[in-house]
């Protein structure tokens, strides 16, 4: 029993860190791919410029601690409830990361949440949830 608790104290933070790296990798690579697709459109100069500037300015908010709240809540509920389902962590990771655009612009009138942003964030969340489940979630 004590060894299980000590193992969880090691595996949960390790799973969170590796899931964060996987999420960041997918968010970056898929985001760059979407930006490249936007650059190929007919009005690519204004699209690329406005999207690039908006993404650069929002980068500081994406790195803020408030964006960790949905992921930490997902992990806390999964660990306390001893949920071992891959579907819970994968789907929950996508939903948790899709909440980030709302948290970033909390209190402002407009949002940068377009369909491309939703797709990129959801896919990155799915990847992060899968990595967390592989490392720590299946032994909750």
């Amino acid at each position: 029993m004590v060894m299980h608790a000590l193992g969880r104290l090691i595996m949960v933070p390790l799973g969170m860190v590796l899931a964060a790296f996987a999420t960041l990798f997918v968010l970056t690579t898929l985001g760059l791919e979407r930006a490249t697709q936007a650059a190929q459109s007919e009005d690519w100069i204004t699209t690329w410029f406005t999207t690039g500037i908006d993404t650069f300015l929002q980068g500081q908010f994406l790195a803020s601690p408030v964006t960790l709240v949905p992921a930490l809540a997902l992990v806390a509920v999964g660990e306390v409830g001893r949920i071992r389902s891959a579907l819970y962590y994968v789907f929950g990771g996508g939903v948790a990361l899709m909440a980030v655009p709302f948290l970033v612009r909390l209190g402002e009138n407009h949002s940068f949440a377009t369909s491309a942003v939703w797709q990129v964030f959801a896919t990155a969340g799915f990847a992060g949830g899968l990595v967390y489940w592989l490392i720590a979630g299946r032994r909750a």
Side-chain angles (χ1 to χ4, degrees):
M1 174 107 164
V2 172
M3 293 304 288
H4 178 72
L6 288 174
R8 297 308 305 158
L9 286 175
I10 294 170
M11 293 306 283
V12 169
L14 179 66
M16 285 291 293
V17 168
L18 292 177
F21 281 130
T23 301
L24 183 63
F25 176 76
V26 172
L27 194 63
T28 303
T29 56
L30 192 57
L32 288 174
E33 191 269 332
R34 287 301 210 162
T36 304
Q37 282 181 355
Q40 300 301 320
S41 69
E42 294 175 8
D43 192 18
W44 68 273
I45 294 176
T46 57
T47 304
W48 179 261
F49 183 74
T50 57
T51 305
I53 294 296
D54 193 31
T55 303
F56 179 74
L57 293 175
Q58 295 306 318
Q60 64 184 350
F61 296 113
L62 291 177
S64 70
V66 76
T67 59
L68 290 175
V69 172
L72 291 175
L74 175 77
V75 168
V77 168
E79 290 296 322
V80 169
R82 294 185 177 261
I83 300 172
R84 296 181 178 179
S85 171
L87 183 62
Y88 170 77
Y89 288 105
V90 172
F91 183 73
V95 170
L97 205 60
M98 284 176 57
V100 169
F102 288 122
L103 292 174
V104 167
R105 295 288 184 123
L106 198 62
E108 293 184 15
N109 293 335
H110 59 284
S111 175
F112 70 93
T114 63
S115 64
V117 171
W118 289 114
Q119 291 169 356
V120 170
F121 274 72
T123 305
F126 295 152
L130 179 64
V131 168
Y132 181 81
W133 176 79
L134 287 172
I135 294 170
R138 49 186 184 151
R139 293 187 202 100

